[in-house]
Amino acid sequence: MNFNFNLPRRTVVQKFIKYSALAAVFFTAPIATTVVQAQNASPANKTGIKANVKVVRMAYQTSGDIVKIKGVVDKRLEPLGIKVEWSPFPAGPQLMEAMNANRVDIGNVGETPPIFAQAAGAQLAYLAARKPSKGEGSAIVVQPDSPIKSVRDLKGKKVVFQRGSASHYLLLRALAEVGLKFSDIQPVSLTPAEARDAFIQKKIDAWVAWDPFIAVVQRTANARVLRNASGIATQGGFVMARRAFARENPELVRVILEEIDKLGAWAESNPNEVVKILAPELKLDPALLSVVVRRRTFRLQKISDSIIREQQRIADLFHKEGVIPQKIAVRESFLSSQQYASITPPRLSSR
C-alpha cells in the first residue's frame, strides 16, 4: 500500500495528536524555528565538506544525551561555518512530531516513535541504527507490595506509559507473551516525568518506562520489575532525520553520524567518565547513574535488510493490536542503498 507523504500540514498534525497524544507537551519545548536554506549556505569550505545549511537543529531527550553534553557535533561543524541548535524533548514521540513540523533536523529515538510518525504521514528518514542493549534499562514496574505478581495480572488494570514510545512496544510484546491483548488493559499515556511522580506517590498500579526513570524508582521506591525488555529491545532505536535534510546534506549527515559513533565508542570504554558528565545534567547520584550507564549502549550500526524487516514486524504488531489504524510499509521511510552509501561512515559496524 502506498502512502501519501504530501498530506496537508494540518492533517498530519491532527494525526499525530490522535496517535501519540503529543500536542500538550510538545508546545512547551523551546524550539528554534528558523533554518538557513541552501541559497544562504556556503557550498564549499576548507574541509571539503559540502553543506546546504548554516544551522543544524538537533533534538535530544532529557533523559540524558552525551552527544549534546559533550558538544562533539558542535565542535566538528564549527570549522564548516555551521551552527548547532539543540532542542529538548521528554520522549521520542514529541521529538518526532517536532521533526515532522520542520522544527528539528536530526534526533535519536527508540524503535517505536518512527512507526507512529510514519502512520501519521510524516516525511522522515532512518539514518542509522543504535546498537541494541540487553534490555535491562526498560521495564514494567509495580509497587513492591503490589498484588500484581506477573504480567498476566495486568488484565483490567490501568497501565501507564508514554504512548508511541519504546515502552509502548515493550508493553504490547509482554502482554502477547502471556496471551493478553492491548484491549485487555486500561492504557494511560503520561510523559515519563509525570508518570515517575505519580508512581512515587503510589497513584499508579503499573508503569512502563526506561532509564534513568526506572533506575530512580528502583532505588527510591523499591519498584519491583514484572518484565524488562530482555529479548524485546532488539532493535536498539535509530538516529532519525527530516527526509529533505538527509537528501540535501549527505556529506554533513555522514560527519554527524561519525561524531556520534566516535563518542559512543569512547563512552563504552569510559563508563565512569560518562557518569561524571551525566551527573550534573540529570542531577542524580553517581552510584545510580553507574547502573544507568551500564545498561545503556552508545554506538551506532549500519542500516541493514534485517533491521528493516524487524521494524516492519514491529509496525505490523501495532496494526494487529489496533493501535495504528492502517498497515504501513516501513521501507518507505528508509533511504535507498545509494543514499546510505553516501551518508554512512565506514566506521559504523554491521549488525
Side-chain angles (χ1 to χ4, degrees):
M1 181 176 181
N2 294 322
F3 294 89
N4 181 7
F5 284 87
N6 294 309
L7 294 172
R9 180 61 50 79
R10 179 175 298 176
T11 301
V12 174
V13 172
Q14 287 172 340
K15 288 185 177 181
F16 264 111
I17 293 171
K18 179 178 180 181
Y19 300 151
S20 303
L22 309 178
V25 178
F26 164 67
F27 287 109
T28 65
I31 300 172
T33 58
T34 59
V35 62
V36 182
Q37 301 296 339
Q39 61 266 27
N40 295 324
S42 300
N45 49 63
K46 62 183 180 181
T47 65
I49 300 296
K50 293 182 179 179
N52 289 316
V53 294
K54 287 185 177 177
V55 176
V56 177
R57 301 163 303 170
M58 296 191 68
Y60 70 100
Q61 295 189 41
T62 52
S63 53
D65 190 315
I66 64 171
V67 178
K68 188 263 182 183
I69 297 170
K70 291 285 285 184
V72 292
V73 173
D74 312 57
K75 294 171 186 175
R76 179 71 183 272
L77 299 187
E78 185 177 3
L80 311 183
I82 298 173
K83 180 182 177 183
V84 177
E85 292 180 346
W86 290 92
S87 297
F89 296 91
Q94 291 88 345
L95 192 159
M96 287 284 89
E97 185 182 1
M99 190 174 290
N100 174 67
N102 191 23
R103 291 184 171 91
V104 296
D105 300 313
I106 292 181
N108 193 344
V109 298
E111 75 285 299
T112 302
I115 291 172
F116 277 67
Q118 184 179 350
Q123 299 185 43
L124 308 173
Y126 294 80
L127 301 183
R130 192 170 66 242
K131 180 181 173 183
S133 70
K134 295 180 180 179
E136 298 172 315
S138 296
I140 305 171
V141 296
V142 295
Q143 297 292 341
D145 57 351
S146 171
I148 300 171
K149 302 302 181 184
S150 70
V151 174
R152 188 174 285 104
D153 296 333
L154 294 176
K155 185 174 183 179
K157 299 293 193 301
K158 291 182 179 179
V159 183
V160 175
F161 57 96
Q162 168 69 70
R163 184 174 177 83
S165 71
S167 293
H168 199 159
Y169 174 55
L170 166 57
L171 177 60
L172 255 64
R173 283 286 303 277
L175 291 172
E177 285 179 343
V178 298
L180 296 180
K181 296 182 178 180
F182 190 64
S183 57
D184 288 327
I185 65 167
Q186 298 181 51
V188 178
S189 181
L190 293 176
T191 66
E194 292 170 333
R196 175 202 58 208
D197 294 343
F199 187 90
I200 291 174
Q201 296 169 24
K202 297 187 176 182
K203 296 179 179 180
I204 290 178
D205 292 326
W207 179 33
V208 195
W210 56 87
D211 278 339
F213 304 103
I214 290 297
V216 167
V217 295
Q218 284 182 298
R219 173 70 67 86
T220 62
N222 295 316
R224 175 161 49 86
V225 174
L226 291 183
R227 172 72 160 94
N228 64 24
S230 176
I232 292 177
T234 57
Q235 275 294 70
F238 298 94
V239 180
M240 303 293 298
R242 290 190 304 109
R243 197 171 191 87
F245 180 87
R247 184 178 62 247
E248 296 165 5
N249 299 278
E251 295 182 23
L252 180 57
V253 168
R254 186 175 69 247
V255 166
I256 292 171
L257 294 179
E258 183 176 60
E259 290 303 315
I260 293 173
D261 188 61
K262 284 167 60 178
L263 181 61
W266 171 85
E268 293 186 0
S269 298
N270 298 274
N272 293 336
E273 294 301 312
V274 175
V275 170
K276 289 179 182 178
I277 66 172
L278 283 177
E281 181 81 6
L282 298 180
K283 297 178 175 58
L284 293 175
D285 178 64
L288 186 149
L289 276 175
S290 293
V291 175
V292 172
V293 171
R294 178 180 59 81
R295 300 198 295 210
R296 280 188 180 179
T297 59
F298 297 91
R299 295 205 64 179
L300 303 180
Q301 58 185 8
K302 299 175 182 177
I303 297 296
S304 66
D305 287 340
S306 63
I307 287 175
I308 297 174
R309 287 194 299 269
E310 177 66 9
Q311 194 71 350
Q312 183 64 58
R313 191 186 66 77
I314 295 171
D316 291 345
L317 176 62
F318 277 107
H319 176 247
K320 177 184 177 182
E321 292 292 330
V323 180
I324 57 176
Q326 76 270 33
K327 186 178 175 65
I328 64 171
V330 298
R331 190 174 288 272
E332 294 179 358
S333 288
F334 284 85
L335 301 174
S336 68
S337 57
Q338 292 82 6
Q339 287 173 313
Y340 281 122
S342 67
I343 70 168
T344 305
R347 64 175 289 115
L348 265 60
S349 65
S350 299
R351 192 170 188 176

